């Protein structure tokens, strides 16, 4: 067995989209982005007009990696479920 192929398998990630309840999504405490009210309002208008164009990216434990603002807007809008990108392994 080639040791490089084993390392390559550990690095390979596949993604799948899975509908997830918004209330199950966990905020990542170290999110560096500030959710300013003006940006949240802009995001809400965009979601109302176009829908959620990009699924929320989460880790296998449902911790948000990308999409904290979308989660906040969807929660405020009363949306119950959203498509999320899930990795094939823990990030």
């Amino acid at each position: 067995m080639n040791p490089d192929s084993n390392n390559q398998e550990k690095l390979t990630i596949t993604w799948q989209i899975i509908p997830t309840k918004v209330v199950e999504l966990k905020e990542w405490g170290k999110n560096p982005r500030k959710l300013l009210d003006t940006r949240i309002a802009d995001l809400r208008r965009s979601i109302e007009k176009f829908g959620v164009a990009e699924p929320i990216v989460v880790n296998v434990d449902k911790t948000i990696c990308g999409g904290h603002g979308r989660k906040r807007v969807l929660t405020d809008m009363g949306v119950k479920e959203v498509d999320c990108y899930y990795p094939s392994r823990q990030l």
Side-chain angles (χ1 to χ4, degrees):
M1 177 184 225
N2 183 348
D4 289 337
S5 68
N6 192 26
N7 287 336
Q8 184 63 26
E9 288 176 18
K10 290 179 182 177
L11 296 176
T12 301
I13 299 174
T14 56
W15 295 86
Q16 61 180 334
I17 296 175
I18 300 173
T20 305
K21 292 179 182 177
V22 174
V23 297
E24 293 177 354
L25 299 174
K26 303 175 204 170
E27 300 279 335
W28 184 49
K30 296 181 182 180
N31 179 23
R33 296 201 178 197
K34 303 293 181 228
L35 302 176
L36 303 174
D37 289 340
T38 54
R39 290 188 178 178
I40 292 296
D42 291 343
L43 181 57
R44 182 182 180 116
R45 280 191 293 278
S46 175
I47 289 173
E48 289 173 342
K49 185 173 183 178
F50 302 110
V52 179
E54 183 69 23
I56 294 173
V57 179
V58 297
N59 211 333
V60 294
D61 66 352
K62 299 183 184 179
T63 299
I64 299 171
C65 299
H68 291 82
R70 281 170 276 168
K71 181 200 183 250
R72 180 170 157 188
V73 168
L74 294 170
T75 299
D76 291 347
M77 292 173 68
V79 173
K80 302 294 182 207
E81 192 171 78
V82 65
D83 284 344
C84 294
Y85 280 122
Y86 281 83
S88 57
R89 64 168 178 83
Q90 182 74 18
L91 299 177

